[in-house]
């Protein structure tokens, strides 16, 4: 297999909780706790999980918008950790982000044309005429008319604003984009339009996406590979086809059972998880999912499960669960 575009190695992001008269650190919120994965070129990796599981924090840590506590992020063969401010600024031309809220991610005081052109200005790319031509090209790519250049964000719908955000992310011709729940704030009919734009961009421009969402139906539609997060860790990782056909982890199966079925004649047994999601400030011992798992065993309370490949070397299906450990399978 060729060198991956993005390689994340044991990435952690822990936030301090301070208190007391001296404002000392009393505890740590383990938002991302030892995540590793690879993203191949011209592919989309979907990242799914419940709200608060660390998906968005992971996406921001990968881009160093939030500084990781430890671990490594390698983009196009170069580590992003430890880069100087100037070196990181140059590297940002290769990586961009599409934010979740199209209403908050655009400045209400700036014209759309200025917003889309800003990355070109910051990196001093091209002459003023070339930048104007690039902005016109970007508007055409995302399906907006040139009249949009002289208007303000509040004059557009949510879907149009998200297209503006996508155009801004494309300005520097990045090879990698983090799409942080880019359609969750949009109506269903508009969601499909934005998703089609993203799919076309990957097909025509060869961009790789880390697509973050809590909606498994959306993830299935856009992703080549899928990582399932729970309490700051990836508990299952596989190709989209394999994951949706044969989910392994009990948490993944519970999420799958909640996907709406458009056919009223089809029956799906809903798996309802008991209890509340544990606090990332004080995660459970052993397997972090064991307090809610319907298939938990005694060892799950004390022993952290190893990651097991239930697929093949060419097409791995990784799962962190004692149900698939060699000693458990032989019992």
């Amino acid at each position: 297999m060729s060198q991956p575009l993005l390689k994340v190695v044991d990435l952690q992001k822990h936030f301090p909780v301070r208190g007391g008269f001296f404002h000392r650190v009393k505890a740590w919120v383990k938002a991302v706790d030892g995540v590793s994965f690879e993203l191949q070129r011209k592919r989309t990796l979907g990242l799914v999980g419940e709200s608060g599981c660390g998906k968005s924090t992971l996406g921001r840590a990968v881009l160093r918008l939030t500084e990781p506590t430890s671990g490594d992020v390698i983009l196009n063969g170069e580590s992003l950790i430890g880069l100087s401010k100037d070196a990181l600024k140059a590297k940002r031309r290769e990586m961009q982000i599409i934010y979740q809220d199209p209403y908050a991610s655009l400045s209400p005081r700036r014209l759309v044309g200025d917003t889309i052109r800003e990355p070109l200005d910051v990196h001093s790319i091209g002459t003023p005429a070339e930048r104007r031509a690039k902005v016109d090209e970007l508007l055409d790519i995302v399906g907006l008319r040139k009249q949009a250049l002289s208007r303000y964000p509040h004059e557009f719908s949510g879907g149009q604003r998200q297209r503006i955000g996508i155009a801004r992310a494309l300005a520097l011709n990045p090879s990698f984009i983090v799409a942080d729940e880019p359609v969750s704030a949009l109506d269903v009919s508009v969601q499909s339009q934005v998703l089609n734009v993203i799919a076309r961009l990957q097909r025509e421009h060869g961009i790789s996406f880390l697509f973050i969402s809590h909606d498994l139906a959306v993830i299935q539609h856009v992703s080549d590979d899928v990582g399932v997060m729970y309490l700051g860790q990836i508990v299952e990782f596989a190709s989209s086809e394999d994951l949706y056909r044969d989910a392994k982890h009990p948490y993944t199966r519970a999420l799958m059972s909640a996907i709406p079925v458009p056919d009223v004649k089809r029956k799906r047994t809903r798996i309802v998880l008991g209890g509340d999601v544990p606090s990332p400030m004080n995660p459970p011992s052993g397997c972090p999912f064991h307090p809610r798992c319907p298939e938990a065993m005694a060892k799950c309370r004390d022993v952290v499960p190893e990651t097991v490949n239930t697929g093949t070397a060419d097409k791995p299906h990784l799962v962190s669960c004692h149900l698939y450990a060699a000693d458990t399978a032989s019992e």
Side-chain angles (χ1 to χ4, degrees):
M1 186 177 292
S2 61
Q3 183 186 41
L5 171 74
L6 176 72
K7 184 175 182 180
V8 176
V9 183
D10 196 24
L11 195 67
Q12 296 185 348
K13 179 56 185 179
H14 297 172
F15 293 96
V17 178
R18 300 180 183 273
F21 181 78
F22 294 102
H23 205 54
R24 292 173 176 169
V25 176
K26 301 174 61 178
W28 293 89
V29 175
K30 299 178 180 179
V32 178
D33 197 23
V35 170
S36 300
F37 63 85
E38 293 183 356
L39 173 60
Q40 301 299 325
R41 299 176 188 276
K42 302 181 181 180
R43 291 179 71 86
T44 295
L45 168 59
L47 199 60
V48 69
E50 294 171 293
S51 296
C53 71
K55 305 185 301 296
S56 295
T57 302
L58 174 59
R60 296 176 66 86
V62 165
L63 297 177
R64 275 192 64 185
L65 295 176
T66 296
E67 286 295 332
T69 303
S70 63
D72 201 3
V73 179
I74 302 169
L75 180 66
N76 280 321
E78 182 179 3
S79 174
L80 302 182
I81 307 301
L83 288 181
S84 66
K85 183 178 180 181
D86 290 340
L88 182 60
K89 177 182 175 181
K91 196 69 176 175
R92 291 207 185 280
R93 294 179 60 171
E94 302 176 32
M95 53 184 186
Q96 292 293 305
I97 184 170
I98 302 170
Y99 292 98
Q100 175 179 355
D101 187 355
Y103 296 90
S105 62
L106 302 176
S107 172
R109 298 183 178 183
R110 304 195 68 179
L111 295 173
V112 166
D114 296 335
T115 295
I116 298 175
R117 195 184 65 248
E118 183 179 15
L120 302 173
D121 295 337
V122 169
H123 291 269
S124 302
I125 296 176
T127 64
E130 289 171 338
R131 294 175 194 177
R132 285 194 296 270
K134 180 66 174 179
V135 172
D136 290 344
E137 177 189 348
L138 291 169
L139 281 178
D140 184 63
I141 288 174
V142 299
L144 292 176
R145 297 179 178 179
K146 291 184 180 180
Q147 290 89 329
L149 294 174
S150 58
R151 296 166 63 186
Y152 288 93
H154 72 269
E155 301 179 65
F156 296 89
S157 67
Q160 289 172 322
R161 291 189 196 192
Q162 198 59 289
R163 288 170 184 254
I164 295 168
I166 293 172
R168 179 177 58 185
L170 292 174
L172 299 175
N173 298 319
S175 57
F176 169 59
I177 293 178
V178 173
D180 185 8
E181 305 234 26
V183 297
S184 64
L186 306 178
D187 293 336
V188 174
S189 59
V190 181
Q191 284 185 13
S192 61
Q193 299 174 16
V194 175
L195 291 175
N196 289 335
V197 170
I198 292 175
R200 179 166 53 82
L201 290 174
Q202 185 187 61
R203 186 172 61 251
E204 297 177 358
H205 298 271
I207 301 171
S208 295
F209 285 89
L210 176 61
F211 194 101
I212 298 169
S213 179
H214 64 274
D215 190 328
L216 277 88
V218 169
I219 287 290
Q220 183 180 20
H221 178 70
V222 301
S223 303
D224 300 298
D225 304 293
V226 180
V228 181
M229 282 196 74
Y230 183 78
L231 212 60
Q233 301 176 12
I234 290 183
V235 297
E236 188 165 3
F237 188 98
S239 69
S240 179
E241 178 186 2
D242 288 348
L243 189 83
Y244 283 85
R245 185 187 68 247
D246 185 22
K248 301 291 186 183
H249 200 282
Y251 176 61
T252 309
R253 293 201 291 264
L255 293 180
M256 295 287 189
S257 73
I259 300 177
V261 179
D263 187 352
V264 295
K265 296 181 180 179
R266 289 178 57 189
K267 299 293 183 180
R268 173 176 283 168
T269 303
R270 177 71 187 275
I271 302 174
V272 180
L273 299 176
D276 298 323
V277 179
S279 169
M281 189 166 61
N282 186 27
S285 60
C287 174
F289 185 59
H290 85 261
R292 307 174 69 200
C293 181
E295 302 182 56
M297 301 174 287
K299 67 186 298 185
C300 298
R301 292 192 294 269
D302 304 311
V303 182
V304 177
E306 296 182 358
T307 300
V308 179
N309 184 9
T310 62
T312 64
D314 295 332
K315 199 174 183 182
H317 189 146
L318 307 178
V319 57
S320 298
C321 181
H322 287 303
L323 292 173
Y324 303 94
D327 56 343
T328 303
S330 63
E331 291 177 357

